[in-house]
Amino acid sequence: MPAVVSAALALAGSGLDRVVAPVWAALQAREPALRLDSPWRAAGQGVTLALLGGFRALVADAAWIQMYAQWEKRDLPGTETLLRSVSAIDPRPVYFWLNGARILAYDFPAWRIAEAGGYDAVPPGVQRRINQEQAQAALRQIAAAMAFHAQSPELWVERANLELNRLGELEAAAASYRRASELPGAPHYVARLYGEVLRRAGRKAEALAWLTQLHPTLPAGDPGAAADLVLSRIRELERELAVPSASAYRPR
Amino acid sequence: MTAVPFSLRRAWLIAHNTLLEAVRQRLFNLLLFLALALVLGARWLRDFSFGAPELKFLADCGFGSIAFFGAVLTVTATAQLFFSEIENRTALTLLAKPVWRAEFVLGKYGGVVALIGGFCALLTGLLAAVLWWREGELMREFPESFAQGRVVSYGMVCLAGYLQWLKLAVLGAFALLVASYAQTQLFTVITGFFVLVICHLQHLAQNAYERAGSVAGGLASGLIAAIFPNFQVFALADSLAAADAPTLGQVARISGYGLGYLAVVCTLAVYSFRRREI
């Protein structure tokens, strides 16, 4: 009898699958967790969804509070385990990924150096290595987050900040800021930072071209857009590049 | 038994009786109370929400309650209501009368479907009320964020409730199929939960089937993907925004998918129960 039941179900299921196939394709396109490349991660998400469903948010929040308890004790393995658990349980909020990456990049190096004797005792070379290791771990966290939130400017900005401030990779940071500025919902300051990083990287002509292109798009009455600051940067760059006054940028 | 024709009325009477029996059970009341408390309590749990926007958090808690307690209720109620008839020997008395086994099985299933229908309707209604109330408060506190009016689509909330019910109805049919040949209630309950997890992971088998390099692996994953329904498709109305609303065609397809499985699995449960020694 089990053979009859299985055969009947398989036969009916293969027909019914065709009915729902367009809906499933639409759902997969909308939900990144359903098209993960890694079968283990996909299985983890499937089990989490099956067992917790909508409770994922509540359970992840509880795990996040627990993570802070470990963070206060500076328990590095405990904090890291819970950080990863939270984003595995509920990968939807960018908040968890973003703050997790910040803890990995900024808090963990300080804890590791303190454990090794403190900033005075640990040689600068070792400190640099620890900082780089943790920055790379944070970048991996950001990369994992991007599988779920490909269109999040916050993640690209965080990636750029890490590349700039923790790894000192100006070119990589510039590329990430540029990418962030092109995404919908990106704050105005990201485009300004892209110009600033270009300037720091010695690509002053490109920076000037970028900022002159950016300035007319900034709303004048919005303090967050900082149009005046952008204009002052343009003037500085024009001086540094000795741009003749006839060719100088003229705001409309 | 072939002397009397199949009667929907007798099946209806069994379903009605099953429903009455179910709502008198302590388990149903306990699960209902827990789910209701959680949906209402989400209003106070929101202080612990870090990641999700508040209204989404409330909706997640509500749908989580429906899905989790609904699954527990569906599997346990199906097993308990079915086996209570077998263990108390009332099934023997009932089936000695001119009652078809199909009427018995479908009646039991109808009672369970009505039970989870009431459960889903009650919780969805309560969730919609909680969301409406909180959204109103937020509108008064932050009018600039609600310049376009209410942001929650209550149609989507109702649709999500309906899809949860449909999913649980399919799960109930599978639990009934297992109960129709299982010897113990415990086996049915455990297998029912396994079916729930497998149905949520079924899409992995589908992906493996599509990518399969080996013939054997492809056949095995294809078989799993065909036998078990994909429960992830019932999460189509997971969003609160009207912009994410599925089309009527999509809802019809999911309904057809769910009802199709439901019909096939119930038929198999009848087939299996007809061969069972009581």
Side-chain angles (χ1 to χ4, degrees):
Chain A
M1 200 200 57
V4 175
V5 169
S6 303
L9 277 174
L11 201 67
S14 52
L16 288 166
D17 273 349
R18 286 196 200 105
V19 174
V20 88
V23 184
W24 177 236
L27 197 61
Q28 275 185 308
R30 206 180 74 185
E31 179 64 72
L34 297 177
R35 50 173 203 273
L36 288 172
D37 287 335
S38 156
W40 291 111
R41 282 173 67 199
Q45 278 303 303
V47 172
T48 312
L49 268 170
L51 299 180
L52 297 173
F55 283 147
R56 281 183 297 165
L58 200 59
V59 175
D61 288 337
W64 189 253
I65 292 172
Q66 185 63 29
M67 186 279 296
Y68 268 131
Q70 302 302 316
W71 181 84
E72 281 184 343
K73 287 188 233 163
R74 293 192 162 209
D75 174 358
L76 194 145
T79 306
E80 190 168 8
T81 304
L82 282 162
L83 271 183
R84 300 203 186 285
S85 306
V86 169
S87 28
I89 293 167
D90 192 359
R92 294 169 300 171
V94 175
Y95 175 93
F96 292 141
W97 294 104
L98 215 49
N99 286 287
R102 285 171 188 160
I103 289 171
L104 286 171
Y106 300 102
D107 295 338
F108 280 17
W111 298 358
R112 285 177 66 184
I113 291 166
E115 204 167 54
Y119 282 93
D120 294 334
V122 177
V126 177
Q127 289 185 29
R128 204 165 32 250
R129 181 177 55 78
I130 291 173
N131 279 326
Q132 286 192 343
E133 280 172 6
Q134 287 306 137
Q136 293 297 346
L139 284 175
R140 284 194 294 275
Q141 169 92 345
I142 297 282
M146 284 172 177
F148 296 93
H149 306 279
Q151 295 297 304
S152 164
E154 290 101 324
L155 290 174
W156 281 101
V157 170
E158 196 56 39
R159 177 175 153 157
N161 289 344
L162 289 167
E163 287 162 344
L164 179 68
N165 301 321
R166 306 304 286 180
L167 297 172
E169 293 174 359
L170 290 173
E171 293 295 334
S176 297
Y177 279 129
R178 170 87 191 241
R179 184 75 190 267
S181 73
E182 289 165 351
L183 290 169
H188 292 297
Y189 75 85
V190 182
R192 192 174 73 239
L193 281 179
Y194 172 58
E196 183 58 33
V197 176
L198 283 179
R199 191 172 87 148
R200 279 204 226 168
R203 293 157 63 183
K204 292 181 180 175
E206 276 180 71
L208 180 60
W210 173 258
L211 292 176
T212 51
Q213 191 188 321
L214 172 71
H215 186 261
T217 66
L218 298 173
D222 182 357
D228 293 343
L229 183 62
V230 172
L231 186 61
S232 72
R233 288 280 181 275
I234 290 171
R235 296 291 174 242
E236 283 171 24
L237 282 164
E238 283 172 343
R239 272 197 300 278
E240 286 170 24
L241 291 166
V243 175
S245 57
S247 315
Y249 171 71
R250 284 184 183 79
R252 288 174 206 152
Chain B
M1 194 52 50
T2 48
V4 290
F6 178 86
S7 160
L8 274 178
R9 190 173 173 276
R10 283 196 295 273
W12 163 259
L13 283 173
I14 293 171
H16 181 69
N17 206 44
T18 304
L19 180 63
L20 286 181
E21 197 184 329
V23 293
R24 286 194 204 112
Q25 281 182 345
R26 281 187 195 155
L27 179 74
F28 170 72
N29 291 310
L30 175 72
L31 290 173
L32 184 66
F33 172 75
L34 284 174
L36 287 173
L38 210 79
V39 173
L40 281 172
R43 167 83 173 73
W44 288 274
L45 284 172
R46 74 181 199 278
D47 291 340
F48 301 106
S49 168
F50 300 98
E54 188 181 330
L55 293 171
K56 177 72 181 141
F57 176 78
L58 290 176
D60 274 351
C61 276
F63 292 134
S65 296
I66 299 174
F68 181 78
F69 292 110
V72 174
L73 180 69
T74 304
V75 172
T76 51
T78 307
Q80 203 171 349
L81 293 166
F82 192 86
F83 278 95
S84 67
E85 299 275 12
I86 308 267
E87 283 161 11
N88 297 334
R89 304 272 170 196
T90 44
L92 278 176
T93 317
L94 191 68
L95 294 170
K97 296 181 188 308
V99 174
W100 286 39
R101 286 197 179 202
E103 291 165 6
F104 176 78
V105 171
L106 295 178
K108 284 281 155 197
Y109 181 64
V112 171
V113 167
L115 179 77
I116 52 176
F119 178 84
C120 289
L122 188 63
L123 284 178
T124 305
L126 186 68
L127 174 63
V130 169
L131 284 170
W132 179 274
W133 172 45
R134 185 59 193 151
E135 193 180 23
E137 280 186 345
L138 289 172
M139 284 172 88
R140 282 190 292 279
E141 275 177 59
F142 309 102
E144 67 284 357
S145 302
F146 294 87
Q148 308 293 319
R150 288 188 179 267
V151 293
V152 175
S153 163
Y154 291 90
M156 285 283 277
V157 175
C158 294
L159 182 62
Y162 160 69
L163 292 178
Q164 287 283 354
W165 169 77
L166 192 57
K167 183 183 89 175
L168 294 174
V170 176
L171 178 65
F174 269 93
L176 188 75
L177 174 62
V178 177
S180 68
Y181 67 82
Q183 294 303 314
T184 65
Q185 188 177 323
L186 185 66
F187 177 81
T188 306
V189 170
I190 291 171
T191 311
F193 284 114
F194 273 124
V195 168
L196 174 70
V197 174
I198 292 169
C199 290
H200 273 283
L201 294 177
Q202 184 261 24
H203 69 279
L204 297 177
Q206 220 167 25
N207 288 349
Y209 177 59
E210 282 159 14
R211 293 179 193 175
S214 72
V215 178
L219 277 175
S221 50
L223 197 65
I224 293 169
I227 289 175
F228 294 97
N230 182 358
F231 275 1
Q232 301 283 8
V233 296
F234 296 99
L236 190 66
D238 202 17
S239 166
L240 287 178
D244 296 333
T247 62
L248 205 62
Q250 285 178 323
V251 177
R253 278 179 182 276
I254 299 175
S255 300
Y257 181 68
L259 294 171
Y261 258 105
L262 201 147
V264 172
V265 179
C266 281
T267 308
L268 289 171
V270 170
Y271 166 76
S272 163
F273 189 63
R274 284 180 61 163
R275 291 165 170 265
R276 182 185 176 132
E277 290 261 340
I278 302 174

